[in-house]
């Protein structure tokens, strides 16, 4: 230490010498001075040790931070708006303010029905490891616990694998009230923007109700366990009564759409299984159902989610922790954990594509077959257009086989059905070669399948909507056994068959009749113009014992610029989660006019919102977005909702508003009406 | 090796240090240092200039340990230590082996096999419920759906006048001012914690959850506690919502009746509800005569303010009193009226006088209950009872260690608690014959002269409208009892009383069959009833009920005792300063002798810090006991008192055996009682009455026809 110090000292003095020898006299005097000073400095330097420096540094950082924080807090709340306006020009009035100026007033009470994953869940009873989390959010909010005690978190979020209800000793319950789903995580709005705009025209707590339910469990179980459906019924009745008999406007989003379909059947069904409201309950209490991004006929990405926990983002969970979910990081087997957890959630099964090949297309046919990804405006910066230009000889003219939900290998995905052989997997023997379970921390049902089973699955090559169910039955028997009792995915031949009184058919629009409420209106509101997952190209993962044996083949890209195949995923027009076909078909055809699914002729309206990404960062998630969740901040959609809430009908809004090919595609679907 | 590392670090940090200093200050600082070497300085300056440039890259900074550095260093140290401690704290196991956390009653009762049975409805009291903003003036931008009341109260400090403006109600209607909508927070979060870390219902909720309660069988009946009770229905339909929720709870939990747990003002709110729900619409809820019997198992009133709270009087009269609203406790310095000339007290007074619900807490029953000039039912006894230690023999052990209650209660029989407000200490003790018997009516007549001083415009209270003359007159009357008090308030706060008296009544009914008692303003007063004569022709109620015809229903009065509680006040005129002051002040210099109940101008009696025993216990002890005219169907009543024991150490927080008005919600004995009743026990099964105070004797002395 002292050696180093000295050397440094002499160096500096040398440099001083060479530098300032022009005035020796002064210099020497000064030098002596300097020497003594240096000694003092050295004293000081010794004091200024590493610890001190650290402290000093931290102090500086803290101070600056506080100063900034103080400035931020002292800043007038409207400053960001000024800045934005200065850069982008004056912003349009938010729809609430605009319509308030037009004189719109709160009229019909509003019911929100949140979708999957957006509602908060809190802990009411837990195991030892969750001490201190009583009534704290496990889902939603900051997700702090996910990072602090991940295993504990997964344990508490899982449901019982047999019953689909609470595991013993754990009670996780939905948060109630508007706070349940106004923000999903801090700053990530779900319903908050809509609520704020409704408040502008006079809505408040007593005229708005968030029908929060536990989105993990099957719809009927929310009633069995939490009496959630009864609560919705009672609240709607209360709101109608306290608002002078004005009927409610219901706004379900995403899976909430199916949930509310279930509710409408439940409430009119007689007592033990249903709510006993009588056959005119809906007619008396509901003015309109404004479905936002409704996956009426299911969501293809639910398949990928269940099959291999992939898909672009089925649970927002992946988006939240992309790094953590990476399979190889820390050897944590995160994906397996998540797979095990999500497979206990019955509700995910409500979104498996419904209607089979009739709706979603067979091996060589699909309603969206002619869809050209390139036809989308190029400026939208579609994924499909950004492909490296290829040697694709037939790609541009080739029909895309959307009907093949899962294909093993890119060749198979594109070849005509006559060109490959399929081996039936249904009879395949499972578990011929059980892996050594002890080496896997996480047990998933794949380990029971054994190598034989996995190979049999891959040998079948192509799965359409019809065979996808068999596939899931094969790979996840427990899940499907539970789900089969709660949901159904077919098309009813004869709706009067008494078997359709069972609740498992209530959330499938193809197996239920709409209530007898001719004055009611049903809106299908969804975004278009975002590429949406529709079908997948899979591959087998290199044999490794503890991994999920199937994986999306992300190397499978379409050959040409306008191919829809990218990274193993075939996309189609939609709102990023729900394809147009699923969101719009019932409104465009299935329920249009008096059909057997809609015997009383409830009017349906399709309102599409073309996606325009936010122009710059300041706009946040955009006021013209068409993405599945961001659409809740879309000004046009909010305006429509506000008008209907204030008393307008579908005609006042302008009837249908269509940008996609939904009518054309619906025509191609051969469904008896 | 270590030294090398240290050295490297120094070199590494060097540029950072340098960057924070400008070159010139460093230079001049050096020059200052050398200021005595005058001859050197001129030449040295040029040398130094080149020198320092060189040094910058090679030499360590030879700077002073300046103030900024020290500050930074200190803050750094503090932060690091703080983080370190925080880290340690988080690493700590939740339960230290040595430190035994007392088992919560929920866990214990669960082990005993108790499970959730009856749904539970919680009714919060005054000020404990959160309020949030739904529509506001421009100054409240960005606060949409943020809590104005409850939570962290940051807005008080950020924009106080804006905050007060939004919490005020309209002075004429008692409803929202135009353009402002402040609404109660719904759900359990409304009143689980009042401010961060200050629990209200949270402990009880947690214990209920332990035996199986959750969102579907636990409901918080949040309402806007600023409004009069009937107005919560008119504006928010709060009573209808409560009715619908109770019906829903009843149906979805297998037709089990609910247990209602109101607290403080929630008690009289729920009394109001009980009458409202059986009254036919439009004034009532139309539940029909049997509604309560069908839906309610028990009402467990915690800290009930049945007959009012004396501290309301001082609060309304001069915005004083020890702490009626936690306002004062929250911001003791800010409220000091002299600081910054903010006139905080006046602001608070103006705001709280727009809250109709405060009037519901005025003492009810007049002199019959609260005593007249010469005697009051609780005089003498309350103070002594604490000392005598005449506790119920059933609770051996509980009173073993009450020496810590240094209440200093021991008075001569001369305390005239009936005189709720006296001007001057002497007057508070004089026999009644020596008190000038001015008629309040006369004062009222003399008040016609208005004296509006426009220069006081900033904060306008109704006192500004009163002339000095009439203020003097008020003081001349010297002594006010519960009866004349109302006249006094009518005089000093005419607007408020006019509004509020349309909603609340404070008398005693002579004849319960009088049709006037059908009006809702009598519903929250347990001493005034309403009978059924003009109910629709088809429905004939054959008995007139004060309480609903619910023979299986039980009423419990649970409250703390052993804390000195405000009962009456000694006032003085404040020094005349026309604009700045409220003309009346509690005479804080009025102290009794050592054992007196008079301290700082306030007479204390036994109670729970807010509600005197008399108010909390009388109805259960006498008014409703057995079949009385107030309780014709003979609903069973139980008194459960909880002896106050202050927390023994800081670790206990607010104590698990506290009897204080709000802290009692964390009292383990009380929680156990509530849990047992919720799980199905009846009042007799939890032990019937449990009395420590003199409530029985006090009640005996009240001469009320039953």
């Amino acid at each position: 230490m002292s050696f180093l110090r000295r050397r440094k000292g002499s160096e500096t003095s040398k440099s001083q010498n060479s530098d300032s020898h022009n005035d020796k006299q002064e210099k020497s005097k000064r030098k002596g001075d300097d020497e003594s000073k240096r000694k003092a400095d050295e004293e000081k330097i010794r004091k200024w040790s590493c610890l001190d420096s650290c402290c000093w540094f931290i102090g500086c950082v803290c101070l600056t931070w506080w100063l900034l924080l103080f400035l931020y807090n002292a800043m007038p709340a409207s400053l960001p708006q000024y800045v934005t306006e200065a850069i982008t020009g004056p912003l349009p009035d938010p729809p609430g303010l605009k319509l308030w100026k037009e004189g719109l007033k709160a009229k019909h009470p509003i019911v929100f029905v949140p979708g999957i994953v957006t509602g908060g869940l809190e802990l009411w009873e837990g195991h030892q490891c969750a001490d201190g989390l009583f009534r704290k959010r496990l889902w939603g909010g900051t997700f702090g616990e996910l990072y602090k005690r991940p295993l504990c978190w997964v344990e508490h979020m899982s449901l019982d694998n047999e019953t689909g209800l609470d595991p013993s000793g754990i009670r996780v319950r939905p948060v109630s009230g508007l706070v349940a789903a106004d923000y999903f995580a801090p700053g990530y709005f779900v319903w908050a923007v809509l609520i704020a705009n409704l408040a502008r025209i006079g809505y408040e707590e007593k005229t708005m109700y968030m029908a929060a339910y536990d989105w993990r469990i099957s719809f009927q179980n929310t009633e069995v366990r939490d009496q959630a459906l009864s609560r919705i019924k009672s609240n709607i009745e209360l709101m109608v009564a306290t608002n002078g008999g004005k009927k409610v406007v219901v706004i379900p989003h995403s899976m909430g759409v199916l949930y509310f379909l279930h509710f409408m059947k439940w409430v009119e069904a007689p007592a033990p299984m249903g709510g006993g409201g009588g056959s005119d309950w809906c007619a008396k209490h509901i003015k309109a159902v404004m479905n936002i991004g409704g996956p009426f006929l299911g969501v293809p990405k639910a398949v990928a989610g269940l099959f291999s926990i992939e898909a672009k983002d089925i649970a927002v969970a992946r988006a939240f922790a992309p790094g953590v979910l990476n399979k190889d990081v820390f050897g944590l087997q995160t994906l397996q954990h998540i797979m095990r957890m999500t497979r206990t959630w019955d509700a995910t099964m409500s979104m498996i594509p419904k209607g089979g090949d009739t709706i979603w297309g067979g091996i060589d046919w699909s309603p969206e077959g002619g869809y050209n990804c390139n036809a989308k405006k190029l400026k939208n910066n579609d994924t499909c257009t950004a492909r490296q230009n290829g040697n694709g000889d037939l790609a541009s003219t080739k029909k895309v086989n959307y009907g093949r939900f899962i294909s093993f290998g890119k060749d198979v995905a594109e070849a005509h059905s006559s060109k490959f052989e399929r081996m039936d997997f249904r009879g395949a023997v499972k578990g011929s070669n059980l892996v050594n379970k002890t080496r896997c921390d996480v047990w998933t049902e794949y380990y029971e399948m054994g190598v034989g089973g996995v190979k049999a699955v891959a040998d079948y090559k192509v799965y359409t909507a019809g065979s996808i169910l068999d596939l899931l039955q094969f790979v996840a028997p427990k899940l499907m056994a539970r789900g089969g009792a709660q949901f159904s995915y077919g098309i009813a031949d004869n709706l009067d068959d008494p078997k359709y009184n069972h609740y498992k058919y209530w959330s499938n629009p193809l197996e239920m009749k709409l209530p007898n409420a001719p004055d009611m209106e049903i809106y299908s509101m969804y975004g278009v113009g975002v590429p949406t997952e529709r079908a997948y190209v899979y591959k087998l993962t290199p044999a490794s014992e503890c991994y999920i044996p199937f994986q999306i083949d992300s190397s499978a890209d379409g050959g040409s610029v306008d191919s829809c195949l990218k990274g193993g995923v075939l996309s189609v027009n939609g709102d990023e989660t729900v394809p147009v076909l699923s969101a719009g078909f019932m409104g465009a055809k299935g329920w249009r006019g008096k059909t057997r699914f809609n015997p009383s002729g409830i009017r349906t309206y399709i309102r599409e919102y073309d996606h325009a990404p936010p122009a710059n960062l300041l706009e946040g998630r955009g006021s013209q977005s068409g993405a599945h969740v961001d659409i809740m901040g879309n000004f046009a959609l909010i305006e429509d909702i506000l008008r209907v809430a204030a008393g307008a009908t579908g005609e006042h809004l302008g009837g249908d508003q269509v940008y996609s090919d939904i009518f054309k595609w619906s025509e191609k679907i051969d469904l008896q009406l | 090796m270590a030294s090398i590392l240290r050295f490297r670090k120094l070199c590494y940090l060097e540029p950072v240090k340098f960057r924070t200093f400008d070159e010139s200050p460093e230079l001049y600082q050096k020059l200052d240092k050398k200021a005595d070497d005058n001859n050197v300085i001129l030449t040295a300056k040029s040398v130094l200039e080149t020198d320092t440039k060189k040094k910058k890259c090679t030499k360590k900074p030879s700077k002073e340990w300046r103030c900024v550095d020290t500050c930074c260093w200190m803050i750094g140290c503090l932060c690091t230590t703080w983080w370190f401690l925080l880290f340690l704290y988080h690493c700590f196991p939740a339960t230290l082996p040595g430190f035994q956390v007392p088992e919560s009653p929920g866990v214990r009762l669960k082990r005993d096999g108790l499970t959730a049975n009856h749904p539970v409805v919680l009714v919060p009291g005054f000020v404990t419920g959160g309020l949030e903003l739904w529509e506001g003036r421009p100054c409240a931008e960005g606060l949409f759906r943020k809590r104005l009341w409850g939570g962290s109260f940051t807005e008080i400090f950020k924009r106080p006048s804006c905050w007060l403006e939004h919490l005020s109600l309209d002075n004429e209607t008692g409803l929202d001012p135009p353009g402002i909508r402040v609404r109660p927070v719904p759900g359990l979060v409304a009143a689980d914690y009042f401010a961060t870390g200050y629990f209200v219902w949270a402990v009880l909720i947690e214990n209920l959850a332990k035996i199986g309660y959750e969102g579907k069988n636990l409901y918080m009946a949040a309402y806007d506690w600023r409004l009069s009770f009937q107005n919560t229905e008119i504006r928010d339909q709060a009573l209808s919502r409560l009715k619908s929720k109770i019906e829903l709870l009843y149906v979805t939990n297998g037709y089990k009746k609910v247990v209602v747990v109101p607290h403080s003002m929630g008690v009289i709110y729920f009394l109001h509800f009980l009458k409202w729900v059986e009254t036919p619409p439009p004034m009532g809820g139309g539940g029909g005569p049997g509604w309560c019997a069908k839906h309610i198992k028990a009402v467990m009133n915690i800290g009930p303010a049945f007959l009012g709270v004396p501290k309301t009087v001082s609060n309304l009269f001069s915005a004083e009193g020890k702490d009626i609203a936690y306002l004062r406790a929250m911001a003791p310095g800010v409220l000091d009226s002299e600081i910054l000339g903010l006139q905080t007290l006046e602001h608070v007074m103006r705001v709280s006088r727009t809250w109709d619900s405060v009037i519901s807490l005025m003492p009810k029953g007049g002199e019959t209950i609260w005593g007249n000039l010469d005697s009051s039912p609780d005089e003498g006894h309350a103070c002594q009872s604490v000392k005598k230690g005449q506790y119920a023999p059933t609770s051996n052990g509980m009173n073993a260690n009450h020496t810590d209650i240094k209440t200093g209660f021991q008075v001569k029989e001369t305390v005239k608690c009936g005189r709720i407000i006296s001007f001057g200490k002497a007057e508070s003790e004089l026999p009644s014959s020596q008190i000038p018997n001015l008629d309040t009516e006369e004062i009222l007549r003399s008040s016609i002269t208005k004296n509006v001083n426009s220069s006081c415009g900033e904060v306008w209270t109704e006192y500004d409208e009163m002339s000095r003359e009439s203020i003097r007159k008020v003081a001349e009357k010297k002594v006010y009892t519960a009866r004349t008090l109302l006249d006094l308030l009518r005089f000093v706060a005419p607007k408020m009383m006019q509004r509020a008296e349309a909603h609340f009544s404070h008398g005693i009914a002579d004849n319960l069959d009088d049709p006037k008692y059908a009006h809702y303003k009598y519903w929250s007063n347990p001493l005034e009833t309403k009978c059924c004569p003009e109910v629709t022709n088809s429905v004939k109620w054959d008995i007139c009920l004060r309480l609903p015809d619910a023979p299986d229903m039980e009423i419990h009065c649970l409250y703390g005792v052993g804390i000195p509680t405000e009962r009456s006040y000694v006032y003085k005129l404040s020094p005349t300063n026309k604009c700045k002051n409220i003309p009346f002040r509690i005479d804080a210099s009025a102290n009794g002798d050592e054992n007196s109940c008079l301290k700082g101008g306030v007479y204390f009696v036994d109670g729970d810090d807010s509600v005197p025993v008399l108010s909390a216990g009388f109805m259960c002890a006498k008014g409703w006991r057995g079949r009385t005219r107030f309780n014709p169907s003979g609903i069973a009543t139980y008194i459960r008192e909880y002896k106050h024991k202050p927390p023994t150490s800081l670790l206990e927080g607010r104590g698990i055996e506290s009897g204080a008005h709000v802290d009692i919600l964390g009292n383990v004995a009380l929680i156990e009682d509530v849990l047992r009743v919720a799980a199905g026990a009846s009042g007799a099964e939890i032990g019937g009455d449990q009395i420590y105070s003199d409530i029985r004797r006090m009640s005996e002395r009240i001469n009320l026809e039953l």
Side-chain angles (χ1 to χ4, degrees), chain A residues 297 300 353-370 399-407 417 422 462-468 491 510 534-535 581-582 585 665 668-671:
Chain A
L297 303 178
K354 292 163 188 163
D357 293 1
T358 316
I359 301 288
W360 294 95
I363 289 194
D364 288 320
W365 167 90
S366 72
E368 298 112 312
K399 249 172 54 177
V400 185
N401 295 314
Y402 285 121
R404 304 172 184 180
F405 266 94
I406 291 181
S407 331
S417 61
R422 296 163 79 196
V462 164
Y463 296 88
T464 62
S467 49
I468 223 84
I491 298 179
L510 299 172
R534 175 71 166 79
L581 187 69
S582 174
F585 173 73
W665 293 340
K668 289 198 207 161
I669 293 175
D670 178 30
L671 180 70

Side-chain angles (χ1 to χ4, degrees), chain A residues 166-300:
Chain A
D166 293 323
S168 66
I170 292 178
R171 281 185 293 150
V172 174
R173 294 288 178 266
V175 178
S176 64
L178 291 178
V179 286
D182 54 351
Y183 289 93
F184 174 60
Y188 189 88
F189 72 83
V190 181
W191 294 93
V193 177
L194 184 57
I195 291 172
N197 279 295
L198 283 166
R200 286 272 193 183
I201 63 167
Y203 280 92
E204 55 192 69
E205 190 70 41
K206 67 175 173 182
T207 42
M208 284 193 278
Y209 171 64
M210 177 76 75
Y213 58 98
D214 190 337
W215 44 263
R216 299 172 305 161
I217 61 182
S218 73
F219 301 160
Q220 191 68 10
N221 274 343
T222 62
E223 169 67 13
V224 171
R225 196 192 71 180
D226 296 339
Q227 284 84 44
L229 297 171
S230 300
R231 286 149 78 101
I232 296 175
K233 172 169 177 260
S234 152
N235 270 297
I236 291 179
E237 284 167 355
L238 172 68
M239 287 205 295
V240 170
T242 56
N243 285 285
K246 299 196 189 81
K247 298 186 211 172
V248 298
V249 171
V250 185
I251 309 178
H253 172 238
S254 186
M255 191 179 81
V257 169
L258 301 177
Y259 189 70
F260 197 73
L261 275 186
H262 187 94
F263 171 80
M264 285 198 289
K265 290 302 283 182
W266 173 87
V267 76
E268 298 198 342
M273 199 189 278
S279 63
D280 56 351
W281 194 93
C282 291
K284 273 196 286 195
H285 292 92
I286 301 175
K287 169 185 154 62
V289 184
M290 309 191 75
N291 304 296
I292 302 177
F296 285 109
L297 303 178
V299 183

Side-chain angles (χ1 to χ4, degrees), chain B residues 432-479:
Chain B
S432 60
S433 52
Q434 294 172 32
I435 291 171
N437 191 14
L438 289 178
D439 193 2
T440 37
E441 298 299 317
E442 186 195 330
I443 300 177
L444 283 172
R445 244 176 285 121
S446 71
S447 70
I448 302 156
T449 51
K450 278 196 175 180
N451 180 8
V452 183
N453 190 340
S454 55
S455 66
C456 304
E458 197 197 331
V459 184
W460 175 90
T461 64
E462 282 172 318
Y463 280 124
D464 296 335
E465 277 189 358
M466 286 169 57
S467 63
R468 278 329 289 181
E469 179 65 15
S470 43
I471 286 173
R472 200 176 49 75
K473 276 259 170 60
V474 166
E476 263 173 19
K477 166 104 165 93
K478 300 295 182 203
V479 167

Side-chain angles (χ1 to χ4, degrees), chain A residues 1-2 4-5 7-8 11-12 15-16 19-20 22-23 26-27 29-30 33-34 37-38 41-42 44-60 62-63 66 73 77-78 81 100 122 124-125 128 131 134-136 148 166 171 173 176-179 182-183 191-192 195-209 223-227 230-232 234-235 238-239 242-243, chain B residues 3-4 6-7 9-11 13-14 16-17 20-21 30 33-34 37 39-40 43-44 47-48 50-51 54-55 57-65 68-77 79-80 83 90 94 110 132 134-135 141-142 144-145 158-159 181 183-184 186-189 192-193 202 205-218 233-237 240-241 244-245 248-249 252-253:
Chain A
M1 171 76 195
S2 52
L4 285 168
R5 177 74 43 82
R7 204 185 59 185
K8 201 164 163 68
E11 250 176 30
T12 46
S15 68
Q16 267 173 10
D19 239 271
S20 54
N22 49 356
D23 201 335
E26 293 287 346
K27 178 89 216 315
K29 196 169 186 189
R30 215 189 66 76
D33 221 359
D34 238 322
K37 196 165 188 328
R38 198 168 301 137
D41 283 351
E42 260 171 22
K44 219 156 258 171
I45 283 157
R46 210 161 288 132
K47 267 193 239 156
W48 186 295
S49 66
C50 169
L51 201 64
D52 287 331
S53 305
C54 282
C55 284
W56 179 85
F57 183 67
I58 290 169
C60 263
C62 282
L63 269 185
W66 290 337
N73 277 323
S78 51
Q81 202 189 334
W100 178 73
E122 61 188 12
W124 278 83
E125 184 183 342
Q128 197 78 45
D131 259 357
F134 176 67
R135 286 184 59 223
K136 298 270 187 310
K148 273 199 203 158
D166 293 323
R171 281 185 293 150
R173 294 288 178 266
S176 64
L178 291 178
V179 286
D182 54 351
Y183 289 93
W191 294 93
I195 291 172
N197 279 295
L198 283 166
R200 286 272 193 183
I201 63 167
Y203 280 92
E204 55 192 69
E205 190 70 41
K206 67 175 173 182
T207 42
M208 284 193 278
Y209 171 64
E223 169 67 13
V224 171
R225 196 192 71 180
D226 296 339
Q227 284 84 44
S230 300
R231 286 149 78 101
I232 296 175
S234 152
N235 270 297
L238 172 68
M239 287 205 295
T242 56
N243 285 285
Chain B
S3 61
I4 294 173
R6 192 131 57 102
F7 177 73
K9 231 166 223 160
L10 274 175
C11 292
L13 277 171
E14 196 175 13
V16 180
K17 278 188 247 166
T20 56
F21 288 90
K30 275 193 166 178
K33 202 63 179 142
K34 297 185 171 189
D37 300 340
N39 53 342
V40 180
T43 41
V47 175
L48 265 174
T50 52
D51 237 351
K54 281 280 173 216
K55 274 190 207 162
C57 354
T58 55
K59 195 181 167 285
K60 242 161 266 111
S62 47
K63 287 182 308 287
E64 291 302 300
W65 190 266
V68 186
D69 286 316
T70 326
C71 280
C72 285
W73 180 83
M74 235 165 64
I75 290 167
C77 271
C79 284
T80 324
W83 290 336
H90 277 291
K110 188 187 178 188
E132 60 188 12
W134 278 84
E135 184 182 341
E141 202 181 295
F144 176 67
R145 286 185 59 220
K158 274 198 199 165
R159 22 191 160 176
R181 281 187 290 152
R183 295 287 178 267
L188 290 177
V189 286
D192 54 350
Y193 288 93
I205 291 171
E206 191 164 349
N207 281 293
L208 283 168
K210 285 271 177 1
I211 63 166
Y213 281 90
E214 58 191 56
K216 67 174 175 185
N217 46 17
L218 189 57
E233 169 65 13
I234 290 169
R235 198 193 70 181
D236 296 338
Q237 284 85 45
S240 300
R241 285 150 76 102
S244 152
K245 283 291 181 302
L248 175 69
L249 287 173
T252 56
N253 287 286

Side-chain angles (χ1 to χ4, degrees), chain B residues 192-450:
Chain B
D192 54 350
Y193 288 93
F194 173 60
T196 323
Y198 188 88
F199 73 83
V200 181
W201 292 96
V203 177
L204 183 59
I205 291 171
E206 191 164 349
N207 281 293
L208 283 168
K210 285 271 177 1
I211 63 166
Y213 281 90
E214 58 191 56
K216 67 174 175 185
N217 46 17
L218 189 57
Y219 175 68
M220 174 82 75
Y223 58 98
D224 190 337
W225 44 263
R226 300 170 305 159
L227 299 181
S228 74
F229 302 156
Q230 193 68 8
N231 275 342
T232 62
E233 169 65 13
I234 290 169
R235 198 193 70 181
D236 296 338
Q237 284 85 45
L239 297 172
S240 300
R241 285 150 76 102
L242 181 54
K243 171 170 176 260
S244 152
K245 283 291 181 302
I246 291 180
E247 285 168 353
L248 175 69
L249 287 173
Y250 174 69
V251 171
T252 56
N253 287 286
Y255 300 95
K256 295 201 185 93
K257 297 184 198 174
V258 300
V259 170
V260 183
V261 188
H263 173 237
S264 186
M265 190 179 82
V267 168
I268 42 183
Y269 185 73
F270 197 73
L271 270 188
H272 186 94
F273 172 79
L274 286 180
K275 287 306 289 183
W276 174 88
V277 74
E278 298 204 340
T279 307
M283 201 191 275
W291 196 92
C292 296
K294 191 177 160 200
H295 292 95
I296 296 174
K297 169 183 157 54
V299 184
M300 307 198 73
N301 304 295
I302 299 178
F306 281 120
L307 302 179
V309 182
K311 72 160 82 165
T312 322
V313 176
S314 68
N315 190 60
L316 284 174
F317 192 53
S318 66
E320 290 186 301
K322 253 180 19 188
D323 60 37
I324 179 183
Y326 295 96
L327 262 184
R328 302 205 84 201
M330 289 298 299
V334 176
L335 288 186
D336 231 326
S337 57
E338 315 295 334
I339 291 179
L340 307 175
L342 279 179
Q343 300 182 293
T344 319
L345 270 188
E346 285 76 1
H347 274 297
V348 169
M349 180 163 185
R350 202 177 46 138
V351 171
S352 59
R353 278 198 185 174
T354 66
W355 296 346
D356 286 348
S357 60
V358 183
I359 309 295
S360 73
L361 293 171
M362 287 282 293
K364 289 165 191 162
E367 293 180 358
T368 315
I369 302 288
W370 294 97
N372 52 25
L373 289 178
D374 289 324
S375 69
S376 66
D378 48 354
E379 69 187 12
H381 297 283
C383 294
Q384 285 168 353
S385 70
V386 178
K387 206 172 169 260
K388 278 188 210 156
Q390 39 154 284
Y391 305 128
T394 51
S395 63
N396 41 348
M398 286 191 73
N399 56 348
N401 184 15
H402 62 273
T403 44
D404 47 353
I405 309 161
K406 293 265 189 290
T407 47
F409 279 3
Q410 196 181 34
V411 274
K412 296 151 279 181
E413 291 281 329
T414 54
V415 176
K416 307 276 192 294
C417 282
R419 304 170 184 183
I420 291 183
I421 288 183
S422 342
F423 279 90
K425 186 189 166 196
E427 280 74 6
S428 72
E429 289 164 358
L430 282 176
S432 60
S433 52
Q434 294 172 32
I435 291 171
N437 191 14
L438 289 178
D439 193 2
T440 37
E441 298 299 317
E442 186 195 330
I443 300 177
L444 283 172
R445 244 176 285 121
S446 71
S447 70
I448 302 156
T449 51
K450 278 196 175 180

Side-chain angles (χ1 to χ4, degrees), chain B residues 543-558:
Chain B
I543 31 172
C544 301
L545 306 176
R546 168 61 195 101
L547 284 165
D549 184 19
D552 290 330
M553 209 171 111
E554 290 175 347
I555 292 180
H556 300 247
C557 293
L558 308 99

Side-chain angles (χ1 to χ4, degrees), chain B residues 130-185:
Chain B
L131 299 173
E132 60 188 12
L133 184 76
W134 278 84
E135 184 182 341
R137 302 262 156 82
C139 72
E141 202 181 295
L143 294 182
F144 176 67
R145 286 185 59 220
K146 297 272 187 309
R147 281 197 182 198
L148 289 186
W149 188 271
S152 57
F153 282 97
T154 44
E155 297 308 322
I156 302 189
F157 301 103
K158 274 198 199 165
R159 22 191 160 176
S161 61
C162 183
W163 184 80
L164 284 174
E165 183 188 349
H166 282 81
L167 275 180
S168 305
L169 294 170
D170 190 285
N171 207 17
E172 301 288 336
T173 61
L175 293 169
D176 292 323
I180 292 178
R181 281 187 290 152
V182 173
R183 295 287 178 267
V185 177

